[in-house]
Amino acid sequence: MDEVVRYTFRLRPGATAEAALLADWGWCRWLWNEAVHQCRTGRRPTFGKLSKLLTEARARSSWLRDGSQVAQQQTLRTYALALQHSFRVKGRGRPRVKRLKDALPSLEYTTRGFSIRERRLRLPGGVSIPVVWSRELPSDPTSVRVYQDCLGHWYASFVVRRDTAPAPDVEGAIGVDWGVTTTATTTDPAYDLPYLGHRKRCAAELAKLQRRMARRRRVKGAPPSSGYLRAKRQAAKVAKKAARQNIHDARVWAKKVVDDHATIAVEDFKPKFLARSRMARKAADAAIGAAKRELVDRGLRAGRRVVLVPPAFTTMTCSQCGTRAKDRLGLGVRVFRCDTCGYTAGRDRNAAGTILATAERGRAGADDVRHAITSFREVGEVRSEPEIPRLPAVGKR
């Protein structure tokens, strides 16, 4: 089975190559901002119209002709796709202006605009950049994205095809409930993802660097000092180290869960509301969104049955008999006790069991008057990958 993936490698551009990349980024950023202006003035530019305007502008302006036409064309293609998603994807806003001090450089090249010779990435304008090849490419790349991160490091992300052997057949199912004290609580304690607190360990050092930035900040309108930029880079380095640790832990945990289970029931938890609560700092440190995304992506690639279950009433519902408690459990109550069958378990462990039962049986039936679930009932076949099934809330018809 073939799959399209990205292989990312570190670049080591010299001063001349970096200046050429930044110059290309300047032309592409100008085109993006011009496309945003065209949209805001009501001209409704499509990709075809933008391409025609680009051709006319390159014919008139020698300044624009100095840049790579492939990178400029791909910038307009990316803008058209972002504009299309803003109408179709919920929560996506219209493309905004990319300011020089905020936007990080990002350039796209198709096969007409790049090549790999002598293990170096060659771009238009005679730019040749050494690549740190940490692994071999499985096939010839069809496109590459060259970008710079907040630390000033350059990367090349190649789009390639690779052959993947089908994942071995396994049995078993697991339910996953997200939390703050324990990042992921599952029906099997051996697969829990504990809260590791990588950002918490870096908090003191990060606060020290942020105070240094505040002392060295100049008045508005004045260029930043070298001391301020140095402190800003050091703070970004500390923050990115913690983020990488979170991503690594999430990948290791997700691989372990996917390798051993055929059905994975995941709480469809959206941690945005935690940003406005007193748990915002710890929730950000737990990186729930990154762990959930990694688990779902790995499960789908391996061909597992991944089901997203809404979190409504999962904490109040007994995972053994399906009875829902009459009152909501406060955050201080960490043990669930069922008054009907006497089942007792940890609050999150019981929620994970309820999520798994909901995924296996389709959904839970409920009495709308008494607000109590008497049993988990079969209601038809549940959809599986490649489209992730999203079940209705527990107790909702």
Side-chain angles (χ1 to χ4, degrees), residues 313 316 322-326 366-373 395-396:
F313 308 118
M316 302 168 56
T323 302
R324 190 197 302 175
K326 295 181 180 179
D367 189 308
D368 293 334
V369 177
R370 292 182 296 173
H371 299 284
I373 301 175
K396 293 292 184 179

Side-chain angles (χ1 to χ4, degrees), residues 111-347:
T111 51
R112 293 192 304 116
F114 79 97
S115 62
I116 300 176
R117 300 177 189 171
E118 300 176 356
R119 303 183 66 82
R120 296 170 70 95
L121 177 63
R122 297 184 182 272
L123 300 175
V127 179
S128 178
I129 307 175
V131 183
V132 182
W133 297 103
S134 56
R135 51 181 173 172
E136 296 296 328
L137 292 174
S139 64
D140 293 334
T142 57
S143 66
V144 63
R145 177 188 300 162
V146 179
Y147 65 94
Q148 187 183 38
D149 66 358
C150 59
L151 300 179
H153 301 159
W154 288 91
Y155 296 87
S157 180
F158 297 95
V159 177
V160 294
R161 285 186 173 274
R162 69 178 178 187
D163 295 331
T164 57
D169 294 334
V170 294
E171 296 181 356
I174 191 170
V176 182
D177 178 76
W178 305 107
V180 176
T181 305
T182 302
T183 304
T185 303
T186 64
T187 49
D188 186 351
Y191 294 92
D192 288 354
L193 176 62
Y195 166 73
L196 300 173
H198 294 303
R199 288 189 175 92
K200 185 178 181 180
R201 287 197 296 272
C202 302
E205 185 179 0
L206 184 60
K208 177 181 177 181
L209 294 171
Q210 289 173 343
R211 288 194 297 269
R212 187 178 301 172
M213 289 171 55
R215 290 195 301 268
R216 297 176 179 179
R217 188 187 299 274
R218 291 183 176 178
V219 296
K220 187 176 181 180
S225 64
S226 59
Y228 173 82
L229 294 177
R230 186 165 55 251
K232 182 178 179 181
R233 178 184 173 85
Q234 291 172 350
K237 187 175 182 179
V238 171
K240 190 161 187 179
K241 178 183 177 181
R244 284 173 170 169
Q245 289 174 327
N246 277 329
I247 293 174
H248 172 75
D249 293 335
R251 287 175 176 172
V252 173
W253 169 76
K255 184 179 185 302
K256 180 181 177 182
V257 172
V258 170
D259 288 347
D260 298 343
H261 299 90
T263 300
I264 305 173
V266 185
E267 181 187 10
D268 195 10
F269 180 68
K270 298 177 176 59
K272 290 183 179 180
F273 74 95
L274 290 176
R276 299 186 294 271
S277 69
R278 59 185 177 86
M279 297 183 292
R281 188 186 298 272
K282 193 169 184 179
D285 196 355
I288 298 174
K292 174 188 171 185
R293 183 168 55 250
E294 188 67 30
L295 178 61
V296 172
D297 290 346
R298 280 187 177 271
L300 293 181
R301 289 204 305 267
R304 306 306 189 200
R305 179 172 175 261
V306 181
V307 183
L308 297 181
V309 179
F313 308 118
T314 54
T315 305
M316 302 168 56
T317 305
C318 178
S319 59
Q320 299 298 311
C321 65
T323 302
R324 190 197 302 175
K326 295 181 180 179
D327 300 323
R328 293 184 179 276
L329 275 68
L331 291 177
V333 181
R334 306 310 304 172
V335 177
F336 175 86
R337 293 181 177 85
C338 179
D339 297 333
T340 302
C341 66
Y343 174 71
T344 301
R347 171 198 182 103

